[in-house]
Amino acid sequence: MTIMDMLGQSGVLSVLGMGIVFGFLITMVIAVTLMGKIVHALGADKDVTQPPKAAGGPAAGPSPAAVTAAITAAVTEYQKTEGGKHG
């Protein structure tokens, strides 16, 4: 077997291997897309652990200003106690 024969055979095997992987990936993309459409059609993609939000109601959770104020108060209180003393 000559070098040219071996290079030709390795090229064929490389193309065949890449083709098989590409085909598998295309099959996976199609399967995932179909499953997503089926799940959406059945309504199984809804989150049932949280109650539905009221239309026009206030946003869930505290405002960023309230979070900043709570953190500032906690740091200030920590610095007043022994935990804030170093040395």
Side-chain angles (χ1 to χ4, degrees):
M1 183 175 261
T2 65
I3 295 282
M4 292 308 291
D5 291 337
M6 291 198 302
L7 284 174
Q9 187 178 12
S10 66
V12 168
L13 288 174
S14 295
V15 170
L16 180 65
M18 286 188 271
I20 290 172
V21 170
F22 184 74
F24 178 75
L25 290 175
I26 293 296
T27 304
M28 289 295 294
V29 167
I30 292 170
V32 168
T33 303
L34 288 175
M35 287 300 295
K37 288 182 180 182
I38 291 170
V39 166
H40 184 68
L42 294 175
D45 57 345
K46 304 283 190 279
D47 188 9
V48 295
T49 59
Q50 296 180 357
K53 293 181 182 178
S63 68
V67 172
T68 304
I71 293 172
T72 303
V75 169
T76 304
E77 185 65 28
Y78 176 76
Q79 289 173 347
K80 288 181 184 177
T81 62
E82 280 190 47
K85 296 179 183 175
H86 296 288

